[in-house]
Amino acid sequence: MAEDRGDQFSAIWTKAKLQYTEITGKEMDDPGFPHPSSTQELLSALDHQNKDFAHFRKKRAIVFNILEMTCKPIELVGNLAAGGASMAFPPSTLCFGAAVYLINAARGVSSSLDAILDLFARLKDFLIRLSVYNQECLPAELREKLAETLATLLDIFARSTKVINAGSGGRVLQFAKNVLVVKDETIEALVSKIDKMTESETRLVGAETLIQAKRSGRKIDGVAVAVSDTNMAVREGNLKLEVVSGGVEQMTADQKEFHKEIRQGIDALSSTLNETAARTEDSQYTRQKHHVKALLQPSVSAVDTMTAIAKKRVVGTGDWVRQEQKYQRWTAQESPILWISGNPGTGKSYLAENIVSHLWQRHPQGVHHPSRTSVGYFFFKDNDPQTRSFHQALRDIAHQVSQNDPFYEKHISMACQGPEDIKTLQSVWRVLFLKFFLENTKTDGHVYLVMDAIDEAFQEERKLFFELLSDLYSAQKSTGSASRIHLVMLGRPQILDEITETLEDAIPTIYVDWRKNNADIIRYLEYSIKKSRALSQAPEDLQAEVIKTLTEKANGMFMWVDLMLRELSSKSRVSAIRDALNRAPKGLNEMLRHIFEGFSMTLKDDDPEDLNTMLSWVACAQRPLSLQQLDGLLALRSASGDSILSLESRLRTQFASLFVITREDGLSTADLFGDDVMKNTIDIKQEMELRPAFQTTHVTFCHASVGDFLRDENQGKVSAQDGHPAVGVDIIQARASTLKTCLEAEREMSSEYAHHAIWLYARFEWHRHLVLAAKHLPEMKVREKQEIGKLLVQLLRDEEIVWWWIGNPAGFYNEENLKPIRQWLEDRDVLDSQDDVDREWIQSTAENPAETYAMALRINCKIWLQGVYYEPMETMKAACDIICLQSGQAMIPPGKQIPLERILSTARYLQLQETEKWHHRLGTALFDCGYVHEAKKHFEAAIELDYTSWEARAGIARVLEKEKRYEEAIELEKINITILEKNLAGLRASNQDDLIEKTECALWICLRKLCSWYLVLKDTKSSLECLEEISRFRFVSFDLFPSQISMFKEAEDYEVIVKLLKDMERKASGRGLIELTQCLFALKWPDEQFFKDIAIAASHTGQIAWLQTAYQNAIGSARNWQDIALTVILEVCLAELYYKYDDKQALALPLWERIVDIGSAVGKTGSWQLNRCYGIVQRSFFVYCLEQALDPEVGTQEASSYVAKLEKLCKLKSADGIPSKDIILANFAAVFVGLLYRLKGRKEEAKDYFRPVIKESLMVLSDGDSDRNQSGFADLARVLVAAGDEVHAIAIYNELRAERLDKEDEGKSQGAPVKDKEANATSDEGSRQEVIKFEVSNTDKSGNTAHPSSQAMQSVRRNVTLARQVFPQGTYFYPLQCDGPCRQSFPFFSGMFMCRICLCDLCPECVTLVRSSGPGDVNDSRYWDNGRVCSPHHDWLYITPPPEKVSQTEDVKTLKEGDDGQEPVLDNQKGVCEEEVAEMKRILARLKETWLD
């Protein structure tokens, strides 16, 4: 096969070369024919051969730019196009040679050269698509397509050369657009062909990526790669895919399904990424986002459910609701609540997804839409406590809203200090929703809440939530205005009684029945029959009969239809299908009984009991069971202990009518196997390839109604007839048997229980099973409850058993969990069955039920103070909770600090011997609780008892580290290292392998701590010695490496940095990677200083090309893993390397576009990791597009394309296609489009782009919060600079000065040490006055001067120096960080510069550096510290210092609205001078008048 493929490639290229020779008369394999092996060689050859032509020299920059962008993709994929064929010269070399010959044919003639450049410019747009190819793993089919593409390109070059030669022989070509394609229609056809080929191939790569992603179990990453590479874009707030044209065999027959799958894959991307551990930068914005996430603790269930439903919903189903008058009134914000009611299985969840999608269309999320309307959603499910909680639902929705509305995010951050502020359902509703959307009159934001299946929520929470909803009507009546909270709830009819009992007002209701959704059922049936391998081949009259019969009998229930379709698809004869249609049962319950009867009749041997076991466990489980757990339970039931072969396959096929498999990557059975599931024909080899991890794949019922049926005491098991086994669930017996299994698992774990996965489940869930089983205690069989009672006593009294289950989550030991335990133990039948000792124990603990946990208390205390396996905090908290129960003290709420006395009294409760271990473990718990001084006392006591206690000494070192006494901590850690090395030598001598590894790990930890402290102290030599020692161990870690590199960079030891990196390139690491790649993978944030440091080192040593190759290799590995987040992060670094350090914007451009496309696509899902990458590249990308659009040497068409790149990121097309109604988004791209239009003289259009951004900035400054005023004012000033309003910009900049940090933030900003407060207070007041005295230089009308006097600059420098003394960093926040090489922070903007093009902030020294010349000519090494910054061709605004201005730096200015709610004013409570307040009011009033009125 490989040989045949090679012959095929050879044939393609032989034909291409012969055709080229026939047209041009040139032999391509002739040594005299040009054969440049790279783009660089091609450019060098052209430069040499055309240096005598004046027109070429004039156009040289443009020629080289276009050629590089055109040829680089060819270079990247040239070898792939050979496909293994034996060739004298690779395909890329042949194309480059033809390009050289074509350009040389122009012989410097202006019109000919222009025509060639025009051709290359057209080809560039097509060929850039080739960059999506992954060089490591490209299938042969794609290589063949690639070869055909390049062969076509060769044909274009040949025919173009012929036309040029003809024109140059006396008939000079008249230059016109596309002159070559006009001269030769064949060229036009070929250009169109290559356009279609590259478009088709790009989509083929997308399809291949998706297929590979599925096979590796990482769909989301693969989908995002496919989306970005095929230029999927957000339009009107929804992800709509370009129409795929052409037949691509590898893609599915139904293109719409493929599109829909990708679209929903993007929605799921953020939930995958949010699980990635993130390192945060020390900025107010990032801290706020993490603070909000920590407060809300959102789940991923809503996103996962939304994604799964969206993939399954047939296009058009549910659209009927949009025509309902009540729904239209609700979306028009005329009624605050809408109730949609329907029986089980009528498609309510699919309707909820349709509503969310419709709201997204009307109100795009995550794009700074001016409507400021958010959409939140939640899908309740009764199979998990988390998905049954209204408290969780409101927190999830709040998190979704915070990702769309930055003002709401800020509100949460300000309103909540900790999780205890929103601990109750009432507080969540009041703080997160009422205060912002009803009580806050300073914002006009609205929110739509979509809650599905509320009947599956906890009943008590649901009733309380209904009571809270009365606030919406009360607020509407009191204010007379419409509510800004709009809620739609979907659920079963019985919930309506609860709603009407609670709310006085009538709730608009839409009923889902057959009249509403029959058309949807028909649409669903037509789609399903088309997809079914069996039914799609049935006669058309039978298909019509199936649709008619099922629609009539369904009574509006999709669930019933789906079950019937599964049964019909299993039939192979027309008569059997018709017979099944005639016997179709009516109603959902009857349908389920019918299904169980079928299983009763067909299942043999152990299969019926296996099915019953699975049904019982899935019905009773308190959270979804993994395949591993279900497999273990089936093996446990089996007498032989065997597992079921191909369990997943059977669940996906034979039992697909009951169960659904949820993989970690979100793929469904249909995604993996298509219609094979209907026919039960999944190939075993296919299943093995796609089998996921058993522990991360979960099993649930396909619909809530299945669980409802099985948990109904009136249903029970079903048998086909006498002699056939009963199939189903007796819920009372199932509750008892599942509880018994859990208790047995806990008992047997002490004897090396084989089924570890079951024990893990039982350890955390046995008490939940007990709570539910206790409700059926009177109806339970006596023998069953007695057996459970004996197991329960063992679980509570046997020390060895208790040891295994005590690690329960926080909050386990409470009255709620204790009550059912006592209920069971005190049951008369259970009590009578106990032996005398256990009966006496039960009776003796009746007076104080908390004594039931006496053994648990003892074990928790022992493990806390004597053990090594558990963290001290975990067991200490458990012990404190039990003592609270026993003594009747108030329980400590989760998140609250445990009082010191309670910790100490609990530690001494058992009167354990106070050994070295006792003191060390107590000290650790105290330290973790914040009692540092007390912790140190116990660490010291431990060392007094045992000098070799390295853990206690490490505890003291932690205390010293917290106090920043690093030198003392180092001395202690050195003692530990000496002790551990001595211990290690002794262990090795006695061959105690089990202890050797533990001691090595301890030594490694100590060395790492030591190294980190040396790094803080800038002790390069000592830190390197530590790193050398660390490298001896097999524990790999890269977290210290960046600090090491930073030290070398500060010392300008660039050669050493490169050597270290190259040494890592020669070392193998885990997962088949070299250490260098593993290191790049480990450092997750592209704006980390490490990436800048290695770029600087590579630049200084001439190793930029080598570093680019290292990044390309790492990107290839990341793509092979289908890790989209890692791929994007590395691509950001590579783009920065091209742009800032190598001046190769053309190579950075496709990477920027890819990253921006992905960032735009996932913006509404809140993937802040990808959004951060987007934020990093956007300025470089936007500035480059702006520069290209303004460059007079760039052609009009190309310049327009750069404008379009910016516009698509900040403009939403109107639904009716009228440009004047397009919506301008308030984002950074809009600022640059406005700047571009203003510079081109289109001032009114420019204002349209500036206005939404300025409005949003003013809103930020009017919310009564002082925390972000500095950044809010700075952002507003930058926009004003772009808008040309420099007078107001300078006035605002001059108000931004150092601001005192909150006490808890002192020392965090810019890493500066905290100065003594008293010292700050006694600073010389004269210095304060001197800091703010500025010399006024001659200025122009706008207050700007391009060249301030040297005296003025000296004044600025003096003021900076004095201000830093009076207002030290760490105690004060500095509003300005120079974007130039120095990267210094400054206490004020006055006297600084702002670039009018790229809007960066620069200090005077850095402006001088940038202004002097370009990156290649700058001699000062500081220029390289930040790579390419700004441009010598740009223009700068000088922030003119105000004359004799009195500083009020300590005063925190807070912008608030006036009493009338209209005019923003400054808070004067902290001593801000009235002149400043009045001036800022005037500035803001003028801005409002200019931009908003």
Side-chain angles (χ1 to χ4, degrees), residues 551-577:
T551 302
E552 290 174 351
K553 293 186 176 183
N555 196 28
M557 290 185 289
F558 283 90
M559 175 71 178
W560 185 92
V561 171
D562 187 63
L563 293 173
M564 278 302 303
L565 280 173
R566 291 180 183 278
E567 181 173 352
L568 297 178
S569 295
S570 66
K571 309 299 181 184
S572 57
R573 297 180 182 274
V574 171
S575 57
I577 293 175

Side-chain angles (χ1 to χ4, degrees), residues 249-508:
E249 297 178 359
Q250 282 79 357
M251 297 174 70
T252 60
D254 192 335
Q255 295 289 346
K256 291 182 181 179
E257 281 307 297
F258 177 73
H259 288 183
K260 186 177 178 182
E261 184 178 18
I262 295 178
R263 173 168 59 86
Q264 300 306 329
I266 295 175
D267 287 338
L269 179 60
S270 77
S271 64
T272 303
L273 294 175
N274 284 339
E275 296 173 3
T276 305
R279 192 178 305 173
T280 66
E281 63 181 358
D282 188 24
S283 69
Q284 175 68 29
Y285 175 73
T286 305
R287 289 202 304 272
Q288 176 174 286
K289 295 189 81 67
H290 283 275
H291 176 57
V292 168
K293 189 170 183 180
L295 285 169
L296 300 178
Q297 300 175 12
S299 70
V300 297
S301 65
V303 176
D304 289 346
T305 304
M306 178 76 179
T307 302
I309 293 174
K311 284 196 302 181
K312 295 176 184 177
R313 185 171 68 85
V314 177
V315 176
T317 54
D319 286 355
W320 57 266
V321 76
R322 304 180 186 184
Q323 308 304 318
E324 291 284 313
Q325 185 178 10
K326 293 175 181 177
Y327 176 80
Q328 291 176 348
R329 291 189 61 205
W330 178 74
T331 57
Q333 304 173 355
E334 295 177 17
S335 58
I337 302 175
L338 176 65
W339 166 242
I340 299 179
S341 175
N343 287 320
T346 52
K348 297 184 295 297
S349 296
Y350 290 84
L351 194 61
E353 188 276 336
N354 186 304
I355 291 172
V356 174
S357 297
H358 183 228
L359 292 172
W360 279 350
Q361 291 175 11
R362 292 169 59 98
H363 309 284
Q365 303 292 287
V367 294
H368 296 273
H369 196 280
S371 72
R372 298 197 57 251
T373 299
S374 301
V375 179
Y377 57 90
F378 192 83
F379 296 84
F380 289 97
K381 290 184 180 180
D382 64 359
N383 60 4
D384 190 337
Q386 189 180 55
T387 56
R388 297 188 66 190
S389 168
F390 265 95
H391 193 274
Q392 183 69 55
L394 291 177
R395 298 201 319 269
D396 279 13
I397 289 173
H399 188 251
Q400 294 164 17
V401 175
S402 73
Q403 296 170 59
N404 177 64
D405 190 338
F407 309 111
Y408 180 72
E409 180 184 70
K410 188 176 175 184
H411 161 77
I412 297 174
S413 181
M414 292 171 57
C416 304
Q417 298 303 311
E420 63 275 6
D421 291 337
I422 50 172
K423 182 182 177 182
T424 64
L425 184 59
Q426 296 96 319
S427 60
V428 169
W429 179 247
R430 181 182 65 256
V431 174
L432 299 185
F433 292 92
L434 296 186
K435 282 190 175 182
F436 185 82
F437 290 106
L438 294 188
E439 299 174 10
N440 188 350
T441 59
K442 300 172 184 177
T443 177
D444 57 356
H446 287 248
V447 64
Y448 286 93
L449 312 181
V450 181
M451 292 183 171
D452 176 56
I454 61 170
D455 50 280
E456 298 185 39
F458 290 121
Q459 185 175 12
E460 291 183 6
E461 282 194 6
R462 185 174 62 235
K463 289 183 176 179
L464 178 56
F465 179 70
F466 289 159
E467 292 175 5
L468 297 174
L469 291 182
S470 61
D471 295 326
L472 302 184
Y473 289 102
S474 300
Q476 191 167 345
K477 291 175 182 177
S478 62
T479 62
S481 57
S483 169
R484 289 192 285 121
I485 299 176
H486 317 284
L487 169 68
V488 60
M489 299 180 290
L490 297 93
R492 298 181 184 181
Q494 58 266 32
I495 306 301
L496 183 59
D497 292 339
E498 292 182 16
I499 299 175
T500 54
E501 287 174 7
T502 309
L503 296 173
E504 297 178 0
D505 299 76
I507 305 298

Side-chain angles (χ1 to χ4, degrees), residues 1067-1113:
K1067 294 179 183 177
S1069 181
R1071 305 170 76 180
L1073 302 174
I1074 57 174
E1075 276 195 3
L1076 179 57
T1077 298
Q1078 188 75 39
C1079 180
L1080 295 176
F1081 280 16
L1083 301 165
K1084 288 289 186 181
W1085 297 113
D1087 53 347
E1088 289 191 68
Q1089 188 61 39
F1090 169 77
F1091 293 113
K1092 298 177 184 177
D1093 289 344
I1094 63 175
I1096 294 163
S1099 177
H1100 277 273
T1101 55
Q1103 296 295 324
I1104 284 290
W1106 170 82
L1107 186 57
Q1108 289 168 355
T1109 302
Y1111 276 121
Q1112 289 164 355
N1113 291 336

Side-chain angles (χ1 to χ4, degrees), residues 163 214 274 389 444 460 485 511 602 614 661 890 950 1035 1084 1185 1278 1288 1307:
V163 173
K214 286 181 176 180
N274 284 339
S389 168
D444 57 356
E460 291 183 6
I485 299 176
Y511 294 97
T602 58
M614 292 189 288
I661 307 296
W950 72 271
F1035 310 106
K1084 288 289 186 181
C1185 289
R1278 280 189 195 92
H1288 287 135

Side-chain angles (χ1 to χ4, degrees), residues 1104-1383:
I1104 284 290
W1106 170 82
L1107 186 57
Q1108 289 168 355
T1109 302
Y1111 276 121
Q1112 289 164 355
N1113 291 336
I1115 289 168
S1117 298
R1119 283 183 176 174
N1120 284 340
W1121 290 0
Q1122 277 93 35
D1123 190 332
I1124 183 61
L1126 189 54
T1127 302
V1128 170
I1129 287 167
L1130 293 171
E1131 286 180 336
V1132 171
C1133 296
L1134 182 58
E1136 294 287 283
L1137 201 61
Y1138 283 141
Y1139 179 58
K1140 291 186 175 180
Y1141 300 91
D1142 206 15
D1143 203 24
K1144 291 183 177 176
Q1145 295 93 326
L1147 297 180
L1149 181 61
L1151 294 172
W1152 285 334
E1153 292 190 283
R1154 167 185 162 82
I1155 295 161
V1156 167
D1157 282 347
I1158 293 177
S1160 301
V1162 303
K1164 72 184 178 68
T1165 64
S1167 172
W1168 65 275
Q1169 189 181 30
L1170 284 187
N1171 285 340
R1172 183 163 170 182
C1173 291
Y1174 171 71
I1176 291 167
V1177 305
Q1178 66 175 354
R1179 176 176 285 183
S1180 298
F1181 177 55
F1182 295 166
V1183 170
Y1184 177 74
C1185 289
L1186 179 65
E1187 290 175 335
Q1188 295 300 302
L1190 293 172
D1191 191 340
E1193 293 192 0
V1194 176
T1196 304
Q1197 183 177 355
E1198 188 177 355
S1200 299
S1201 71
Y1202 286 107
V1203 178
K1205 292 178 193 297
L1206 290 173
E1207 284 188 330
K1208 82 170 185 177
L1209 296 172
C1210 63
K1211 181 186 284 190
L1212 292 179
K1213 298 292 184 184
S1214 64
D1216 52 15
I1218 301 175
S1220 60
K1221 294 183 180 180
D1222 290 349
I1223 298 172
I1224 307 298
L1225 305 177
N1227 59 24
F1228 202 39
V1231 176
F1232 278 89
V1233 176
L1235 174 57
L1236 173 65
Y1237 284 162
R1238 184 179 69 80
L1239 294 176
K1240 286 182 171 288
R1242 297 160 63 178
K1243 294 183 179 180
E1244 290 305 314
E1245 290 177 81
K1247 285 185 178 181
D1248 291 337
Y1249 284 88
F1250 290 129
R1251 191 171 288 110
V1253 186
I1254 292 175
K1255 178 182 179 182
E1256 186 164 301
S1257 294
L1258 291 175
M1259 291 184 68
V1260 169
L1261 297 171
S1262 64
D1263 60 3
D1265 174 34
S1266 63
D1267 287 347
R1268 288 180 63 190
N1269 272 2
Q1270 294 277 14
S1271 61
F1273 276 121
D1275 290 342
L1276 175 58
R1278 280 189 195 92
V1279 179
L1280 294 175
V1281 171
D1285 191 350
E1286 294 180 355
V1287 172
H1288 287 135
I1290 291 174
I1292 291 174
Y1293 274 130
N1294 280 320
E1295 294 299 323
L1296 301 180
R1297 278 164 266 138
E1299 191 173 79
R1300 191 174 186 88
L1301 292 165
D1302 293 336
K1303 182 178 179 181
E1304 67 215 47
D1305 288 334
E1306 289 186 12
K1308 293 182 181 179
S1309 179
Q1310 293 92 22
V1314 180
K1315 298 289 183 71
D1316 184 73
K1317 291 183 180 179
E1318 293 184 8
N1320 290 335
T1322 58
S1323 298
D1324 179 54
E1325 291 298 325
S1327 297
R1328 288 179 182 271
Q1329 296 296 325
E1330 188 175 3
V1331 169
I1332 41 63
K1333 291 181 180 178
F1334 290 98
E1335 174 186 334
V1336 184
S1337 55
N1338 294 328
T1339 61
D1340 60 23
K1341 238 186 195 174
S1342 68
N1344 174 48
T1345 175
H1347 301 285
S1349 68
S1350 59
Q1351 188 178 3
M1353 288 294 92
Q1354 289 175 4
S1355 175
V1356 170
R1357 293 187 187 96
R1358 184 174 65 253
N1359 281 297
V1360 169
T1361 302
L1362 290 172
R1364 284 175 173 159
Q1365 295 173 4
V1366 178
F1367 312 117
Q1369 277 184 280
T1371 304
Y1372 288 84
F1373 171 77
Y1374 284 10
L1376 166 65
Q1377 184 179 49
C1378 176
D1379 292 318
C1382 75
R1383 299 297 293 170

Side-chain angles (χ1 to χ4, degrees), residues 786-812:
Q786 288 177 338
E787 290 176 347
I788 291 171
K790 289 182 179 295
L791 288 168
L792 196 55
V793 170
Q794 287 181 319
L795 194 74
L796 295 166
R797 298 200 65 196
D798 190 304
E799 183 172 351
E800 188 176 359
I801 297 175
V802 174
W803 184 281
W804 288 105
W805 65 262
I806 58 166
N808 271 286
F812 169 76

